[in-house]
Amino acid sequence: MKALVYHGPGKKLWEEKPKPVLTAPTDAVVKISKTTICGTDLHIMKGDVATVTDGRILGHEGVGIIEETGDAVSNFKKGDHVLISCITSCGKCEYCKRGMYSHCEKGGWILGNIIDGTQAEYVRIPYADNSLYPIPAGSDEEALVMLSDILPTGFECGVLNGQVKPGDTVAIAGAGPVGLAALLTAQFYTPAMLIMIDMDDNRLKVSRTFGASQFVNPQKEDAVRKIFELTGNKGVDVAIEAVGVPSTFELCQSIVAPGGHIANIGVHGKKADLHLERLWSHNITITTRLVDTVTTPMLFKSVQSNKLAPEKLITHHFRLDDILHAYDVFGNAAKEQALKVILEN
Amino acid sequence: MKALVYHGPGKKLWEEKPKPVLTAPTDAVVKISKTTICGTDLHIMKGDVATVTDGRILGHEGVGIIEETGDAVSNFKKGDHVLISCITSCGKCEYCKRGMYSHCEKGGWILGNIIDGTQAEYVRIPYADNSLYPIPAGSDEEALVMLSDILPTGFECGVLNGQVKPGDTVAIAGAGPVGLAALLTAQFYTPAMLIMIDMDDNRLKVSRTFGASQFVNPQKEDAVRKIFELTGNKGVDVAIEAVGVPSTFELCQSIVAPGGHIANIGVHGKKADLHLERLWSHNITITTRLVDTVTTPMLFKSVQSNKLAPEKLITHHFRLDDILHAYDVFGNAAKEQALKVILEN
Amino acid sequence: MKALVYHGPGKKLWEEKPKPVLTAPTDAVVKISKTTICGTDLHIMKGDVATVTDGRILGHEGVGIIEETGDAVSNFKKGDHVLISCITSCGKCEYCKRGMYSHCEKGGWILGNIIDGTQAEYVRIPYADNSLYPIPAGSDEEALVMLSDILPTGFECGVLNGQVKPGDTVAIAGAGPVGLAALLTAQFYTPAMLIMIDMDDNRLKVSRTFGASQFVNPQKEDAVRKIFELTGNKGVDVAIEAVGVPSTFELCQSIVAPGGHIANIGVHGKKADLHLERLWSHNITITTRLVDTVTTPMLFKSVQSNKLAPEKLITHHFRLDDILHAYDVFGNAAKEQALKVILEN
Amino acid sequence: MKALVYHGPGKKLWEEKPKPVLTAPTDAVVKISKTTICGTDLHIMKGDVATVTDGRILGHEGVGIIEETGDAVSNFKKGDHVLISCITSCGKCEYCKRGMYSHCEKGGWILGNIIDGTQAEYVRIPYADNSLYPIPAGSDEEALVMLSDILPTGFECGVLNGQVKPGDTVAIAGAGPVGLAALLTAQFYTPAMLIMIDMDDNRLKVSRTFGASQFVNPQKEDAVRKIFELTGNKGVDVAIEAVGVPSTFELCQSIVAPGGHIANIGVHGKKADLHLERLWSHNITITTRLVDTVTTPMLFKSVQSNKLAPEKLITHHFRLDDILHAYDVFGNAAKEQALKVILEN
C-alpha cells in the first residue's frame, strides 16, 4: 500500500509500505476513507517529537472501513464504517477505567507516533473495540473526521476543563483550528460572552462565523485593557489557551477574574512564568490535558442532532496521494486561509 | 483600651487606643477573650503588605464576647460568645453569594489590614451576622481560635482545592502551622498515604503525631526520587504547597502524577516557573485560593463531634499584654518549636 | 393604596389597603411597575395553601422602583429599578449560606403567603439587599418579570437538578408555563433531544416554537412506547415532571433510562407510587426542590446577552386594576391559550 | 468438580459438575480459594429471582487463583491470585465507559445468575481483564472476599450516592451486613454523627464496634422523634436504606432534612409510597443503584493502607464442601449472630 512516511526532520515521502496485519486478537485493520493533517504532524516534521522515528507512517485521525478484526473484537466486523480516535484505549488499565485514555498504559497517543498511523491506505488499530466508534449509515463522514482529534481536544481540554457555564464570559487565545474547536463546543454551555483573541484579523473574522461575540487583536490594541473593558472590569470567567507559547499563557493569567479558570490546550515547548505573587490569592484554577477522547460518543450525538457542525472547520480537499501538496497548504495556514484539510483515499 | 499597633516596618507598640464603636447597623463590637498571631502578621511587620499603614491595630483571629450590636444584627446579642472569622463577609455581594467571601466587595481580609484588628482588648466587626460564629456553651474556646484562619486555610486551600479523596496519595510541602492544618483536615477524606515534606526534622517528627504516614527531608535525600519510590513510581494524587516559595511550588510540579492536583496554600512574593513543556499533557490541575472561611460551620461540627482536634496546633500561651514577647517566640518558630500561640485577654 | 386581597377560598377583592412601611433596617418598600399571576395563586384561591389567611395581599413576582430603604440596605436606593425575587433570603442563616434560599430561616416563600405580596401598588420587601436584583437602564422590564419565579423554577428544579448535559435526551411532562420555562433553559446545555409531553395539542404546538424537538400526547398514543422508540429503546437521560400529579410522576419513572434523572418541579397534593421493585437497580436519581432563585444573576446575564428570551412566555396584558379579569383569563389558561399575563401598574 | 447447584425454589445440591472451560479469548478460569454467601443467594433460593434457572451454580463473590486465560487476557496469567468482582464488565460498552458496570451490555450481575457462579471449585470469568483484580502477595485474602460485593455495595449505593460529607449527620436503616458495610465506609468521609437503626439490639451493639455513634430501635422508641432530637430538630443530611422494604424507605423520607439525600441500597420486591405532597419542596435527592464495583481499586488501596478493616464483617468459617451447613447458619443470621461467612476450598 501507499503511505506518508517520516524520514527525519524535514523529510517525508509518499511511498510503498506493507499493508498492516493483525498482531493481537484485539486489533482491527481499517481501510482509510478520509484522513487529515494535524498541527502536531507539523511539529513532528520539524523534529520536535522525539518518539517519532525514521520510517514511521504519520497521522492519527480519520474515518474508514473495517477490513479485518481479531478474535476478541466484538463491537465491529468487516465492512463497518468507523471513526478512528487519535487516542488508543485498552479499556482495562487504571487510567482507562478513570476515563483518562490519554494516559492508557498500553495506548494513549501512539498512532503516527510510536506505531504506524492513518495517512496511509490502511492502518492497524490496537484495542479496536475501545479505540474506534461506529458510524451510522447516512452520516457525513467527512465532518466526522473532525471528531478524531480536533473537536474532542478543544472541548475536553478547553471547554470542559475550563468549566464553561451558562452566563460566563469566556476568552479564547488563538483562533486556529483548535481554538475554533473550543469556540464551537463552548456554545454547548451558552456562555454570555465569547471573546476571541488572535493577531490575524482574518482568523478573527472567521471566528465570528463560528459564534464569537467579541474580538481582540493584541497587535492592534492593549488586549488586557480591552478585555477588562468588555467584562465590566472583572476579567473573564474562563481563559482558554490555544496557542502553546508562554506569552499567550501569561496573557491568560492577566485576564482571568478571581474564581476563574485557565484551561490550557496548547502544546508547549517551553516553561512559562506563573505569577503566583499576584495569583496566590485569586482563587483560580489552571488545568492541562492531553485529550482523552472520552467525549467522542457525546460529540457524535451532538453532530447527529445538528447541535454541532464540524464541517465548518474544513477548508481544503485533496486526494490522499496528493498529501505532500496538502502538507504545503496546511503548513502555510495563515496565507492559505486554511483550517483543516480533508484527504480522500 | 490597649492594642498592638503597627508603626511601619519593624515597629510595633502595645499602646492605648480608643475603644471601637459601632459605625453601621450591621456592626458588632467584640471584647476579645483570646487571640493569636499569624504568619501573615510577621509578613506585615517586615513591611511586605502595602495595605497595612502606620497606626493600624494588627490581628485577624480570635474568640470573644459580644459587647454591642448594631440595629440590623440579628444573629447575636450582648454577652454571646463568638468566633471571629479572619474574612469579613457582607453576605450580599456577588462573591459572597458564590461562597467566595475572600473576594467580598466590602469585606474579605480587612481585619488587621485595612481596618483595626483583633490583637486588642476590643474589636469592631463589620457585617457581624456573616463574619462571626456562635460558640455554644461548654466549648473549648482556645481550640476554636484555630478556626479563625489556620484550619479553614489548610482545609479549603489545600484539602478541598486539592480534591483529596479516599485512597489518594497526598504530599504536603511544608510542616509549619498551615501545612499541619492541611494534614489534620486531609484526614477527613481518609487518603491512603500522607507524605510530609520539610527541611526541619523536628517539624517532621511533629507531623507524625498529626497523622502523617511518610516523611521526606529534601536536605537529606532526593525528595522527588523518594516520593516516586513511595508511590510505586506514579507520583502523588495531590501535592499541597504550604510554604510560599518558588522551589516548593516547583517541587510539587515534579511529584504530581498524571491526573493529579497541585493545591497552593502558600503566600508567594515571587513568580514561579510553570513547566508546561512537560505538564501540558499531564492532565493536572493547579489551584490558588485565599481562604473563604466558607467551611467554618462544618469545621465547627467536626470539632464538636471530636473528629478534629485543633488544640494540637497550640504550643505556647501568653497574656495578651505580653504580646511583644509572644511575637518574639512566634518569630523564632523553628528554634522555639512553636506552632500557634494563644494570647489571653 | 389598592391591592388584591384574599378573603378565604374563592374570595378575593381589589381593595384599599394601607401603603406598606419599613419595619426593619434591612427592609425596602417597592412601588410595583409590573407583576403577574402564578399557578400557585390559583392554588391559594382554592384554599389549598393553609398558610395564607384572610386579609393577605397575594402575589410574589414583579418588577418595581425603590420607594424607600432601611438604614442597613446598601445595594439599593430610592429610584432604583429592581426585580423582586419570589424567594426572600436573609443572606445570613445556614440555608442561605448553602445557597438554599428556599429554606431561609427568616424568609423563603413568604411574599403573598405569610406577608403581603406584590399584586398591589406597593410592597414591603424584607432583606432587600438579598431579595431584590438591580435592573440596568434600558432593560425590557416586562420580560424580567419572568425571572421572579417561573424561569428560575424551571431552570433550578428541572434543568439543574436534572443535570441536563450536552447530548442528552430530555423529556418534559407538562407544557404549561413552568414546563416551557424548563424547556427554554434546558437549551442552555444543548441536549440532543427535547421531548415535550402534554395532553393539549395547542400547548405541544407552542412548545415547538420554544425549541422542543419531539412531541407526545398521551391521550393519543402510548407515551412510554413512543418515548422508547424515540430513544433507541433506552429511555431518557432526564425526565422533568412539571405537572404535579401522581400519574405524570409515575410516567417519568417509566421512561427514565438506567443512570438517568427524574427532576420534579410540580407542586404535589398527594403521594405517588415509587416503583422500587423495578428501579432499585436502575441507578437513577430523583430530586425535589422549591426554587432557591440562586441562579437569578446568571439568568439576568443570559437575558442581557440575548441567550434567553423570557418574553416568549407572556401571552396577555392587563392594567393592574383589571386584575380580577386577569385571574379569570389565567384561570382558564387552556381555553384562553394563556401562558403568563402581565399586570401593569 | 463439585459445586452448589440450584434446582428450583428451596432446592440446592452440592454435586458434581463439569469443570468450566474457556469459551472466549477474553475469559479466564479461576480456581476458587474462598467464597461466601450473599443475601441475594437466599432470595434466589426462595425463587424470587426469575433469571436463575434449574442447574445454575450459585455465588458471585470470592478470591481464587488463575487456572487458565484466553488469548486476549493481558492483565493476568496462570497462578495469579485474584479477587472476583460480583459485577462482570466488558470494558467496552457505553455503560462500562461511563463507569456503570452494573448495566454492562454483556455483563453486569451475571455470575450465579445467568451463568455459573463461584460457589464451586472452579469458575469461568468472562472479560477477565475488567472483572478480576490482582491480589498482591501477602494480602489477607479472606478479608478481600468482602470486596467482591458487600463493601462496594455499601459504599457506592449508600455512601457515594448519599454524598456523605465531613460534618454530616447520617442515619443507616438496617444493621445487617450491607448496612454495616455502609457504616464502615461512611467513615471515609468523617461525618459528625452516624445513627444506626435496627430492630435487633444485638445488631445495634455490633454496629457500635463498627463505629456508629447513635442507636435507634424502632420497636422500642419513636424512631422519627428520636432522630429529630439527636439532630437538633433538623433531620439527617443522609438517610441510607439498607433493608429493602417499604417501611424503612418511608422512614428515610420522614427523617431526611431539607437539602438531604436518601440513598437506597435495599433490594425491593414492592413499590413504596413517595410522599411528594410533603417532599416536593424539601430539596431532597433520592438515589437507587445496583453496585458498579467501580470503586474496587480504591477500596483495595484503603485496605492495604489499613484504613478499612473488611474482616470485621466475617463471623463464621466453613469448608466449601460444608456449604449446605453454611447456608443454614447464614439463613438464620439473627439467631446465629452471623454477618458474613467464609467458605474455604
Side-chain angles (χ1 to χ4, degrees):
Chain A
M1 69 166 187
K2 289 283 190 177
L4 186 81
V5 181
Y6 174 77
H7 290 296
K11 291 178 215 148
K12 58 183 180 297
L13 291 172
W14 178 249
E15 65 185 29
E16 191 67 25
K17 290 280 272 185
K19 185 178 159 186
V21 294
L22 300 175
T23 63
T26 44
D27 281 354
V29 171
V30 176
K31 181 174 193 305
I32 294 293
S33 307
K34 296 169 202 285
T35 182
T36 182
I37 307 171
C38 180
T40 304
D41 295 321
L42 302 181
H43 281 293
I44 293 170
M45 286 313 306
K46 288 188 196 150
D48 287 352
V49 184
T51 43
V52 182
T53 52
D54 186 0
R56 176 67 59 238
I57 300 175
L58 298 182
H60 50 266
E61 301 165 272
V63 295
I65 298 170
I66 296 282
E67 178 80 2
E68 199 182 358
T69 57
D71 287 350
V73 174
S74 59
N75 288 351
F76 303 102
K77 62 177 192 306
K78 186 173 164 66
D80 285 352
H81 289 229
V82 292
L83 169 69
I84 299 165
S85 174
C86 66
I87 296 293
T88 301
S89 164
C90 76
K92 52 195 189 184
C93 71
E94 179 195 337
Y95 286 113
C96 284
K97 287 182 181 179
R98 287 167 58 187
M100 228 172 100
Y101 309 161
S102 57
H103 288 72
C104 171
E105 288 171 8
K106 292 162 182 166
W109 174 44
I110 57 173
L111 282 179
N113 177 7
I114 61 172
I115 67 169
D116 284 336
T118 60
Q119 292 169 0
E121 293 179 294
Y122 294 89
V123 64
R124 179 181 68 89
I125 302 293
Y127 305 106
D129 277 338
N130 287 72
S131 307
L132 298 172
Y133 294 89
I135 299 180
S139 302
D140 175 355
E141 297 201 358
E142 183 171 302
L144 291 176
V145 175
M146 303 298 109
L147 266 62
S148 285
D149 180 341
I150 191 90
L151 278 166
T153 295
F155 182 55
E156 295 178 8
C157 308
V159 177
L160 282 189
N161 271 17
Q163 296 183 26
V164 174
K165 295 185 307 298
D168 273 1
T169 52
V170 177
I172 300 173
V178 77
L180 293 171
L183 173 57
L184 277 181
T185 53
Q187 295 169 69
F188 286 151
Y189 295 98
T190 320
M193 196 182 282
L194 271 165
I195 307 167
M196 212 72 194
I197 308 167
D198 203 290
M199 298 194 288
D200 179 338
D201 277 337
N202 176 60
R203 289 196 152 181
L204 290 178
K205 213 170 104 188
V206 169
S207 74
R208 180 185 301 273
T209 68
F210 278 68
S213 56
Q214 274 84 12
F215 310 90
V216 177
N217 183 332
Q219 286 195 321
K220 300 194 170 167
E221 57 195 326
D222 180 330
V224 175
R225 198 169 63 189
K226 175 78 175 295
I227 288 164
F228 274 83
E229 277 170 27
L230 289 171
T231 57
N233 231 25
K234 288 185 180 170
V236 294
D237 296 309
V238 184
I240 296 176
E241 207 281 348
V243 180
V245 300
S247 61
T248 41
F249 187 79
E250 288 158 28
L251 173 62
C252 289
Q253 297 174 45
S254 298
I255 61 175
V256 68
H261 293 257
I262 299 176
N264 186 77
I265 313 179
V267 176
H268 290 259
K270 293 187 212 160
K271 69 183 180 183
D273 286 342
L274 182 62
H275 290 287
L276 285 174
E277 77 282 10
R278 193 173 66 83
L279 296 174
W280 73 269
S281 63
H282 281 219
N283 299 35
I284 65 157
T285 302
I286 300 170
T287 53
T288 70
R289 187 169 183 175
L290 177 59
V291 64
D292 294 301
T293 67
V294 72
T295 61
T296 305
M298 184 282 268
L299 293 169
F300 238 110
K301 289 180 197 169
S302 297
V303 173
Q304 286 177 297
S305 58
N306 298 312
K307 306 297 185 194
L308 178 63
E311 63 276 12
K312 298 183 79 162
L313 287 160
I314 302 167
T315 54
H316 292 71
H317 292 79
F318 300 89
R319 293 211 327 272
L320 180 55
D321 60 13
D322 200 21
I323 189 167
L324 295 174
H325 180 200
Y327 262 82
D328 287 343
V329 168
F330 185 66
N332 286 288
K335 182 176 149 250
E336 301 279 356
Q337 303 201 354
L339 296 171
K340 292 289 283 184
V341 304
I342 286 288
L343 297 153
E344 287 196 54
N345 187 23
Chain B
M1 69 165 188
K2 290 283 191 177
L4 186 82
V5 181
Y6 174 77
H7 290 296
K11 292 179 214 147
K12 59 182 180 298
L13 291 172
W14 177 248
E15 66 185 29
E16 191 67 26
K17 289 281 272 185
K19 185 179 159 185
V21 294
L22 300 175
T23 64
T26 42
D27 281 355
V29 171
V30 177
K31 181 175 192 304
I32 294 293
S33 307
K34 296 169 201 289
T35 182
T36 182
I37 307 171
C38 180
T40 303
D41 295 321
L42 302 181
H43 281 293
I44 293 170
M45 286 313 305
K46 287 188 196 150
D48 287 351
V49 184
T51 44
V52 181
T53 53
D54 187 1
R56 176 68 59 238
I57 300 174
L58 297 182
H60 50 266
E61 301 166 272
V63 296
I65 299 169
I66 296 282
E67 178 81 3
E68 200 182 355
T69 57
D71 287 351
V73 174
S74 60
N75 287 352
F76 303 102
K77 62 177 193 308
K78 186 174 163 65
D80 285 354
H81 289 229
V82 292
L83 169 70
I84 300 165
S85 173
C86 66
I87 296 293
T88 300
S89 164
C90 76
K92 52 196 189 183
C93 71
E94 179 194 337
Y95 286 113
C96 283
K97 287 182 181 179
R98 288 167 57 187
M100 228 172 101
Y101 309 160
S102 57
H103 287 73
C104 172
E105 289 170 8
K106 292 162 183 166
W109 174 43
I110 58 173
L111 282 179
N113 177 6
I114 61 171
I115 67 169
D116 285 336
T118 60
Q119 292 170 2
E121 293 179 293
Y122 295 90
V123 64
R124 179 181 69 87
I125 302 294
Y127 305 106
D129 277 338
N130 287 72
S131 308
L132 298 173
Y133 294 89
I135 300 181
S139 301
D140 175 356
E141 296 201 358
E142 184 171 301
L144 292 176
V145 174
M146 303 299 109
L147 266 62
S148 284
D149 180 342
I150 191 89
L151 278 166
T153 296
F155 181 54
E156 294 178 8
C157 307
V159 177
L160 283 189
N161 271 18
Q163 295 183 29
V164 174
K165 295 185 308 297
D168 273 1
T169 52
V170 178
I172 301 173
V178 77
L180 293 171
L183 174 57
L184 278 181
T185 54
Q187 294 168 70
F188 285 152
Y189 295 98
T190 320
M193 195 183 284
L194 273 165
I195 306 167
M196 212 71 194
I197 309 168
D198 203 290
M199 297 194 287
D200 179 338
D201 277 337
N202 177 59
R203 289 197 152 179
L204 290 178
K205 213 170 103 190
V206 169
S207 73
R208 181 185 300 271
T209 69
F210 278 68
S213 56
Q214 274 83 11
F215 310 89
V216 177
N217 184 333
Q219 287 194 320
K220 299 193 171 168
E221 57 195 326
D222 180 329
V224 175
R225 197 168 63 188
K226 175 77 175 295
I227 288 164
F228 274 84
E229 276 171 27
L230 289 170
T231 57
N233 230 25
K234 288 185 179 170
V236 294
D237 296 308
V238 185
I240 297 177
E241 205 283 348
V243 179
V245 300
S247 61
T248 41
F249 187 79
E250 288 158 28
L251 173 62
C252 289
Q253 297 174 46
S254 299
I255 62 175
V256 68
H261 293 256
I262 299 176
N264 186 76
I265 314 179
V267 177
H268 290 259
K270 293 187 210 159
K271 69 183 181 183
D273 286 342
L274 182 63
H275 290 287
L276 286 173
E277 78 281 12
R278 194 173 64 84
L279 296 174
W280 75 267
S281 63
H282 281 218
N283 299 35
I284 64 157
T285 302
I286 300 170
T287 53
T288 71
R289 187 168 183 176
L290 176 59
V291 64
D292 293 301
T293 66
V294 72
T295 61
T296 305
M298 183 282 269
L299 293 169
F300 238 110
K301 289 179 198 170
S302 297
V303 172
Q304 287 177 297
S305 59
N306 298 314
K307 305 297 186 196
L308 178 64
E311 63 276 10
K312 298 184 78 162
L313 286 160
I314 302 168
T315 54
H316 292 71
H317 291 78
F318 301 89
R319 295 211 325 271
L320 180 56
D321 60 13
D322 199 22
I323 189 168
L324 294 174
H325 179 199
Y327 263 82
D328 287 344
V329 168
F330 185 66
N332 286 289
K335 183 176 148 249
E336 302 279 357
Q337 303 200 356
L339 295 172
K340 292 289 282 185
V341 305
I342 286 288
L343 296 153
E344 288 195 52
N345 187 24
Chain C
M1 67 164 190
K2 289 283 192 176
L4 186 82
V5 182
Y6 174 78
H7 290 296
K11 292 178 215 147
K12 58 182 180 296
L13 291 173
W14 177 248
E15 65 185 28
E16 191 67 26
K17 289 280 272 184
K19 186 178 157 184
V21 294
L22 301 176
T23 62
T26 43
D27 280 355
V29 171
V30 176
K31 181 175 193 304
I32 293 293
S33 305
K34 294 170 202 289
T35 183
T36 183
I37 306 171
C38 181
T40 304
D41 295 321
L42 302 182
H43 281 293
I44 294 171
M45 287 314 306
K46 287 189 198 149
D48 287 350
V49 184
T51 44
V52 182
T53 53
D54 187 0
R56 174 69 58 239
I57 300 175
L58 298 183
H60 50 266
E61 300 166 273
V63 296
I65 299 170
I66 297 282
E67 178 81 3
E68 201 183 354
T69 57
D71 287 351
V73 174
S74 59
N75 287 352
F76 302 102
K77 61 177 192 309
K78 185 174 165 66
D80 285 354
H81 289 229
V82 292
L83 169 70
I84 300 165
S85 174
C86 65
I87 296 293
T88 301
S89 164
C90 76
K92 51 195 189 184
C93 71
E94 179 195 337
Y95 285 113
C96 283
K97 288 182 180 179
R98 287 167 59 185
M100 228 172 100
Y101 309 161
S102 57
H103 287 72
C104 172
E105 289 170 8
K106 292 162 183 167
W109 174 44
I110 57 174
L111 282 179
N113 178 7
I114 61 171
I115 67 169
D116 283 337
T118 59
Q119 292 169 3
E121 293 179 293
Y122 294 89
V123 64
R124 179 181 68 88
I125 302 293
Y127 305 105
D129 277 338
N130 287 73
S131 307
L132 298 172
Y133 294 89
I135 299 180
S139 301
D140 175 356
E141 297 201 355
E142 184 171 302
L144 292 175
V145 174
M146 303 298 109
L147 267 62
S148 284
D149 180 342
I150 191 92
L151 278 166
T153 295
F155 182 54
E156 295 178 7
C157 307
V159 178
L160 283 188
N161 271 19
Q163 296 184 29
V164 174
K165 294 186 307 299
D168 273 0
T169 51
V170 178
I172 300 174
V178 78
L180 293 170
L183 173 58
L184 278 182
T185 54
Q187 295 168 70
F188 286 152
Y189 296 97
T190 320
M193 195 183 283
L194 272 164
I195 306 167
M196 213 71 196
I197 308 167
D198 203 287
M199 298 194 287
D200 178 338
D201 277 336
N202 176 58
R203 289 197 152 180
L204 289 178
K205 211 169 106 189
V206 169
S207 74
R208 180 185 300 273
T209 69
F210 279 67
S213 55
Q214 273 83 12
F215 310 88
V216 176
N217 184 332
Q219 287 195 319
K220 300 192 171 168
E221 56 197 324
D222 179 330
V224 175
R225 197 169 64 187
K226 176 78 175 295
I227 288 165
F228 274 83
E229 275 171 27
L230 289 170
T231 57
N233 230 26
K234 288 185 179 172
V236 295
D237 296 307
V238 185
I240 297 177
E241 205 283 349
V243 179
V245 299
S247 61
T248 42
F249 187 79
E250 288 159 26
L251 173 62
C252 289
Q253 297 175 44
S254 298
I255 62 175
V256 68
H261 293 257
I262 298 175
N264 186 75
I265 314 180
V267 176
H268 290 258
K270 293 187 211 161
K271 69 183 181 183
D273 286 341
L274 182 63
H275 290 287
L276 286 173
E277 78 280 13
R278 192 174 65 86
L279 296 174
W280 74 268
S281 63
H282 281 220
N283 299 35
I284 64 157
T285 302
I286 300 170
T287 53
T288 72
R289 187 168 182 176
L290 176 59
V291 63
D292 294 300
T293 68
V294 74
T295 62
T296 306
M298 182 284 267
L299 293 169
F300 238 109
K301 289 179 198 170
S302 297
V303 173
Q304 286 177 298
S305 59
N306 298 313
K307 305 296 185 197
L308 178 64
E311 62 277 9
K312 298 183 79 162
L313 286 160
I314 302 168
T315 53
H316 292 71
H317 292 78
F318 301 89
R319 293 210 328 272
L320 180 55
D321 58 13
D322 199 22
I323 190 167
L324 295 175
H325 178 200
Y327 263 82
D328 287 344
V329 169
F330 185 66
N332 286 288
K335 181 177 148 248
E336 302 279 356
Q337 303 201 353
L339 295 172
K340 292 289 282 184
V341 305
I342 286 288
L343 297 152
E344 287 195 54
N345 187 21
Chain D
M1 68 166 189
K2 289 282 192 175
L4 186 81
V5 182
Y6 174 78
H7 290 296
K11 293 179 215 147
K12 57 182 181 297
L13 292 173
W14 177 248
E15 65 185 28
E16 192 67 26
K17 290 280 273 185
K19 186 178 159 186
V21 294
L22 300 176
T23 62
T26 44
D27 282 353
V29 171
V30 177
K31 180 176 195 302
I32 294 293
S33 306
K34 294 169 203 289
T35 184
T36 182
I37 307 171
C38 181
T40 304
D41 295 321
L42 302 182
H43 282 293
I44 293 171
M45 287 312 307
K46 287 189 198 148
D48 287 351
V49 184
T51 44
V52 182
T53 52
D54 186 1
R56 175 69 57 238
I57 300 175
L58 297 183
H60 51 266
E61 301 166 272
V63 296
I65 299 170
I66 296 281
E67 178 81 1
E68 199 183 357
T69 58
D71 286 352
V73 174
S74 60
N75 288 352
F76 303 102
K77 60 177 193 307
K78 185 173 164 67
D80 286 353
H81 289 228
V82 293
L83 169 70
I84 299 165
S85 174
C86 66
I87 296 293
T88 301
S89 164
C90 76
K92 51 194 188 183
C93 72
E94 179 195 338
Y95 286 112
C96 284
K97 287 182 180 179
R98 289 167 57 186
M100 227 171 101
Y101 309 159
S102 57
H103 287 72
C104 172
E105 290 170 9
K106 292 162 184 166
W109 174 44
I110 57 173
L111 282 179
N113 177 6
I114 61 171
I115 67 170
D116 283 337
T118 60
Q119 293 169 1
E121 292 179 294
Y122 294 89
V123 64
R124 179 182 67 90
I125 302 293
Y127 305 106
D129 277 338
N130 287 72
S131 308
L132 298 172
Y133 295 89
I135 300 180
S139 301
D140 174 356
E141 297 202 357
E142 182 171 303
L144 291 176
V145 174
M146 302 298 110
L147 267 63
S148 284
D149 180 341
I150 191 92
L151 278 166
T153 295
F155 182 54
E156 295 179 7
C157 308
V159 177
L160 283 188
N161 270 18
Q163 296 184 26
V164 174
K165 295 185 307 299
D168 273 1
T169 51
V170 178
I172 301 173
V178 78
L180 293 171
L183 173 58
L184 278 182
T185 53
Q187 295 170 69
F188 285 152
Y189 295 99
T190 321
M193 195 182 284
L194 272 165
I195 306 167
M196 213 70 195
I197 307 168
D198 203 289
M199 296 195 288
D200 178 337
D201 277 336
N202 176 58
R203 288 196 152 182
L204 290 178
K205 212 169 105 189
V206 168
S207 74
R208 181 185 300 273
T209 69
F210 279 68
S213 55
Q214 273 84 13
F215 310 89
V216 177
N217 184 333
Q219 287 195 320
K220 300 193 170 167
E221 57 196 324
D222 179 330
V224 175
R225 197 168 63 189
K226 175 79 175 294
I227 288 165
F228 274 84
E229 275 170 27
L230 289 170
T231 57
N233 230 26
K234 287 184 180 171
V236 295
D237 296 308
V238 185
I240 296 176
E241 206 282 348
V243 180
V245 300
S247 61
T248 41
F249 187 79
E250 287 159 27
L251 173 62
C252 290
Q253 297 175 45
S254 298
I255 61 175
V256 67
H261 294 257
I262 299 176
N264 186 75
I265 313 180
V267 176
H268 290 259
K270 293 186 210 160
K271 69 183 180 183
D273 286 341
L274 181 62
H275 290 286
L276 285 173
E277 77 282 12
R278 193 174 65 84
L279 296 174
W280 73 268
S281 63
H282 280 220
N283 299 35
I284 64 157
T285 303
I286 300 170
T287 53
T288 71
R289 188 169 181 175
L290 176 59
V291 65
D292 294 301
T293 67
V294 72
T295 61
T296 306
M298 184 283 268
L299 292 169
F300 238 110
K301 289 180 197 171
S302 297
V303 173
Q304 286 176 298
S305 59
N306 298 313
K307 306 296 185 196
L308 178 64
E311 63 276 12
K312 298 183 79 162
L313 286 160
I314 302 168
T315 54
H316 292 71
H317 291 78
F318 300 89
R319 293 211 328 270
L320 180 55
D321 59 13
D322 199 22
I323 190 167
L324 295 174
H325 179 201
Y327 262 82
D328 286 344
V329 169
F330 184 67
N332 285 289
K335 181 176 150 251
E336 301 279 355
Q337 303 201 355
L339 296 171
K340 292 289 283 185
V341 304
I342 285 288
L343 296 153
E344 287 194 55
N345 187 23

